[in-house]
Amino acid sequence: MVNLKTYFSYKKFAGQTLRIVYLNQSYFLQEESIRLLREMGHEIEVLNIPDTPKTMLDALLKTCLQVKPDCIISVNHFGFDYEGKIASVLADLDLPVLVWYLDDYRFIIPDASPLAQPNMLLFTIEKQDIPHLKRLGFDAAHYLPTGSPLPPGKKYDTGAYAYLNRAVSFIGGTFEDTRLRWRKDGYEALFKTAMPAGFQPQSGRFFIDTLKTKIGSRFDSEAEFYHFAGYAAARATQSYRSELLRSVSPHPLHIFGDSHWSRFRLPAQLHPPVDSLHTAPQIFAASLINLNMSSVQLKTALNLRLYDVPLCGGFLLTDWKEDLAELFDVDREAAVYHSAEEMKEKIDYFYKYPEKRQPIIRRAAERIEREHLLIHRLKRLITIARERFNPAS
């Protein structure tokens, strides 16, 4: 290890062009991030994550020996073992690691402390998580929201979905596969007992935190609680979305999502899932109203709909999240609802006055193109990493 330490003792982040080892799991925003980092002029070596930690460590060290990287980038700590062995080796070799959490870290690594190392720079879409991450030992934790990977200025309304011009559309899933993945005997009964009465994600109450306060003491460990919380979040999101979608009637509703929607018997025309980079933008652009209904596990963070829909020239009606007020001028750049009743009222309003949508779409798109593209986030990530690992640069 002494020889390896010497080998990797070169100055990191010394040049404008960075050498980056990117740990790829073919996950949300990874392909787009790799492409954009290359467009920014960086040299990206993609390492597809092997099945086992031992194989992963061997492959990672071999790749780093070949590349001599300025840093390693991961999403959601993909490629790392929960015991922190890989993280410890990389810290000992003084190889910077940048991790961007695009999901709630508590479902991935309930006990995150073994992964906390001085060479690790953490980014999260949830600003509310930063104090807790720092208490776990991640001293360098930063807020970094998502951003649109779609190219601005492109014409997305191709006419292929003209039948949506007077319709409400929702692109999204039931979370049924997620619910089944987390399910254990007794979970459904416990969910019905523990579900916060009258819970609405827009209320400012955080679902997982509320759940933990109510029944966390019933579980022997953090990992056991978060296993149940994964089930409960999927189940609650199902209930939340299906209730809201029922409120769209009598307006025509089109749902693009998984086959499980059929069992909810909603007053809607159902369609298969669509590709997020090619087909979804055409639907966004064509629909009179696009609905956004966040997963209940999100605290204050925004999902990609807030950025993608206006950038495509589409109109979005979204549930309230606190970060809206930080990232947009809510009164001029967004249409927001706080309940099923308010959502229905606003759908009725925009059906009656469809011309009122255009200024909101235009202003939101201008804001997104100026501040909220994925490339803006990646530039921010690299800037923070330079300041951390080579402040003189």
Side-chain angles (χ1 to χ4, degrees), residues 60-92:
L60 182 55
L61 289 177
K62 181 179 178 181
T63 303
C64 288
L65 283 167
Q66 293 171 344
V67 174
K68 297 187 75 171
D70 291 281
C71 66
I72 298 159
I73 293 181
S74 169
V75 165
N76 291 354
H77 264 120
F78 292 151
F80 289 80
D81 59 294
Y82 298 152
E83 294 79 17
K85 294 176 182 176
I86 293 175
S88 179
V89 169
L90 296 178
D92 196 43

Side-chain angles (χ1 to χ4, degrees), residues 301-352:
L302 308 184
N303 61 31
L304 273 184
R305 293 290 183 272
L306 272 297
Y307 311 113
D308 286 352
V309 175
L311 197 64
C312 296
F315 179 72
L316 184 71
L317 180 58
T318 182
D319 50 359
W320 170 256
K321 287 294 176 185
E322 185 180 307
D323 284 11
L324 269 164
E326 182 170 334
L327 299 170
F328 290 91
D329 182 339
V330 177
D331 294 332
R332 303 179 74 249
E333 299 171 352
V336 179
Y337 63 88
H338 298 78
S339 65
E341 293 75 18
E342 187 180 10
M343 185 193 79
K344 185 172 179 60
E345 289 173 3
K346 291 199 171 181
I347 290 174
D348 290 343
Y349 175 82
F350 287 111
Y351 257 89
K352 188 174 181 180

